[in-house]
């Protein structure tokens, strides 16, 4: 029983998950609708922004990152930053060819 | 003395470490798919009009439907963890089985989608595809590899959840020991996130 502090403590109620799911469905509808309009180069930007918002919701609420310790949050930030840097370096190279 | 008693009656458990291990594994998955997204972004950048043309072959309705299915399966997975936290074993198993069923629907749609493409002669190395421009060939190559690898992950996730449902009903996963179910959930949600990006990048290029 002394071990309790290292046991799982990520608890949420049913309600918040249903709210997040509703938000995800609404955002999907928005992406599909926006893609239907002819926004040219803006289409991919809007799609990526909405996908990022959806991922943020899934990571913080569904994957419980919000209630995890600081170490987890730092780890995730570093992993995402690594990916972002890879994209920036790659496109820095391609744009100047 | 109490620690001795404790060690004798309890096996060591570290849920925090288990979850951290799972997150570290998920980062390797992020790099695996991230690499593919890098390849995709460069080829899309250099073959913009061909990618637009090739994407018109994809069925946006099936894609949207599959997105909704996968988002809902993420919901049922999260709910199954809340149910076990509230010590509601049968509800947790029900939500886990529902998640597997939704995964199955997703895979069925994928099957019909791929079959339709293959029947139209659109598969890597087909005579039909080889008559098209190199940009379109690249698009379909990426489409099959990325959605294929994602589909494989959905399949693995379904098997894992089935094992967890067995564990839950046999009382191995309980209201105070459910980190296995939590980690399976983390994997399932990652697969969902990858689809969240695959969907607009393949189906919504107008």
């Amino acid at each position: 029983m002394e071990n309790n502090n290292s046991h799982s403590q990520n608890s949420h109620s049913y309600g918040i998950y249903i709210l997040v799911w509703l938000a995800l469905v609404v955002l999907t509808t928005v992406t599909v609708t926006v893609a239907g309009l002819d926004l040219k180069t803006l289409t991919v930007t809007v799609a990526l922004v909405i996908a990022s918002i959806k991922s943020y919701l899934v990571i913080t609420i569904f994957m419980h990152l919000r209630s995890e310790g600081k170490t987890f949050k730092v780890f995730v930030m570093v992993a995402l930053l690594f990916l972002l840097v890879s994209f920036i370096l790659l496109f820095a190279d391609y744009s100047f060819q | 003395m109490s620690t001795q008693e404790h060690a004798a009656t309890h096996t060591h458990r570290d849920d925090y470490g288990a979850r951290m291990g799972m997150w570290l594994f998920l980062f390797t998955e992020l790099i695996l798919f991230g690499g593919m997204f890098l390849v995709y972004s460069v080829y899309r950048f250099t073959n913009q009009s061909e990618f637009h043309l090739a994407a018109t072959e994809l069925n946006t309705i099936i894609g949207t439907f599959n997105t909704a299915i996968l988002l809902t399966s993420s919901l049922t997975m999260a709910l199954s963890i809340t149910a076990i936290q509230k010590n509601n074993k049968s509800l947790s198993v029900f939500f886990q089985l529902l998640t597997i069923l939704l995964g199955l629907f997703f895979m069925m749609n994928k099957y019909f989608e791929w079959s339709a493409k293959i029947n139209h002669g659109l598969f890597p190395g087909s005579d039909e595809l080889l008559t098209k421009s190199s940009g379109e060939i690249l698009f379909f190559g990426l489409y099959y590899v990325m959605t294929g690898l994602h589909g494989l992950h959905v399949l693995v996730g379904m098997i894992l959840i089935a094992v967890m449902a067995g564990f839950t009903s046999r009382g191995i996963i309980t209201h105070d020991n459910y980190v296995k179910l939590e980690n399976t959930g983390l994997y399932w949600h990652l697969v969902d996130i990858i689809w969240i990006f695959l969907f607009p990048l393949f189906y919504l290029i107008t």
Side-chain angles (χ1 to χ4, degrees):
Chain A
M1 285 299 135
E2 288 147 327
N3 244 356
N4 250 348
N5 56 353
S6 71
H7 288 185
S8 297
Q9 285 172 335
N10 300 324
S11 84
H12 286 287
S13 64
Y14 295 112
I16 184 146
Y17 292 130
I18 293 165
L19 275 177
V20 167
W21 173 76
L22 276 174
L24 291 171
V25 171
V26 168
L27 285 169
T28 305
T29 317
V30 173
T31 324
V32 176
T33 315
V34 169
L37 311 168
D38 195 18
L39 295 177
K40 310 274 185 235
T41 48
L42 251 177
T43 310
V44 69
T45 315
V46 172
L48 288 176
V49 168
I50 292 178
S52 304
I53 297 170
K54 285 165 79 178
S55 303
Y56 176 79
L57 286 173
V58 172
I59 291 171
T60 50
I61 311 293
F62 281 172
M63 295 171 89
H64 304 148
L65 190 66
R66 199 174 58 165
S67 48
E68 288 286 7
K70 201 177 175 187
T71 320
F72 285 79
K73 288 169 188 163
V74 172
F75 274 22
V76 173
M77 289 308 290
V78 170
L80 292 178
L81 206 67
F82 174 79
L83 199 61
L84 186 70
V85 168
S86 309
F87 271 94
I88 291 170
L89 287 178
L90 186 78
F91 274 90
D93 188 28
Y94 258 89
S95 308
F96 295 112
Q97 273 187 356
Chain B
M1 193 199 130
S2 77
T3 40
Q4 258 180 338
E5 240 176 282
H6 179 79
T9 50
H10 290 83
T11 46
H12 177 70
R13 242 181 81 198
D14 183 3
D15 291 352
Y16 184 86
R19 289 200 307 272
M20 183 162 284
M22 192 65 200
W23 275 97
L24 288 174
F25 168 68
L26 295 188
F27 296 154
T28 71
E29 291 275 16
L30 183 76
I31 301 308
L32 171 69
F33 279 96
M36 291 185 171
F37 279 111
L38 277 169
V39 174
Y40 169 92
S41 62
V42 167
Y43 283 142
R44 180 165 171 180
F45 183 66
T46 52
N47 301 277
Q48 292 186 20
S49 53
E50 289 90 339
F51 266 50
H52 281 239
L53 185 64
T56 54
E57 295 279 352
L58 297 193
N59 190 331
T60 312
I61 297 178
I62 292 189
T64 310
F65 202 56
N66 259 353
T67 306
I69 289 174
L70 219 53
L71 289 175
T72 311
S73 78
S74 256
L75 169 72
T76 55
M77 188 70 225
L79 292 178
S80 83
I81 294 168
T82 303
I84 200 73
Q85 282 171 337
K86 294 185 190 292
N87 207 2
N88 197 337
K89 191 168 124 177
S90 50
L91 188 65
S92 179
V93 172
F94 169 75
F95 278 132
Q96 289 174 52
L97 295 179
L98 202 59
T99 311
I100 297 172
L101 193 70
L102 289 164
L104 201 65
F105 284 155
F106 179 90
M107 293 304 281
M108 270 164 56
N109 280 335
K110 267 270 80 85
Y111 167 76
F112 287 126
E113 203 190 347
W114 276 33
S115 309
K117 294 274 164 318
I118 291 166
N119 282 335
H120 286 133
L122 290 171
F123 54 90
S126 72
D127 296 334
E128 167 84 16
L129 196 60
L130 290 176
T131 63
K132 293 182 183 289
S133 66
S134 65
E136 286 170 275
I137 296 172
L138 282 170
F139 177 87
F140 282 105
L142 286 166
Y143 165 77
Y144 277 108
V145 171
M146 291 176 83
T147 64
L149 190 67
H150 176 266
L152 200 65
H153 277 75
V154 173
L155 212 61
V156 170
M158 284 162 64
I159 294 166
L160 284 174
I161 298 166
V163 173
M164 293 310 133
F167 280 173
T168 312
S169 58
R170 276 160 53 206
I172 296 171
I173 290 173
T174 58
H175 71 101
D176 58 0
N177 186 2
Y178 53 85
V179 72
K180 289 188 185 75
L181 182 64
E182 238 184 337
N183 281 347
T184 307
L186 286 177
Y187 181 78
W188 191 257
H189 296 311
L190 178 92
V191 172
D192 188 25
I193 290 173
I194 291 162
W195 183 259
I196 286 174
F197 282 93
L198 285 178
F199 170 62
L201 291 178
F202 280 100
Y203 294 82
L204 298 180
I205 316 176
T206 42

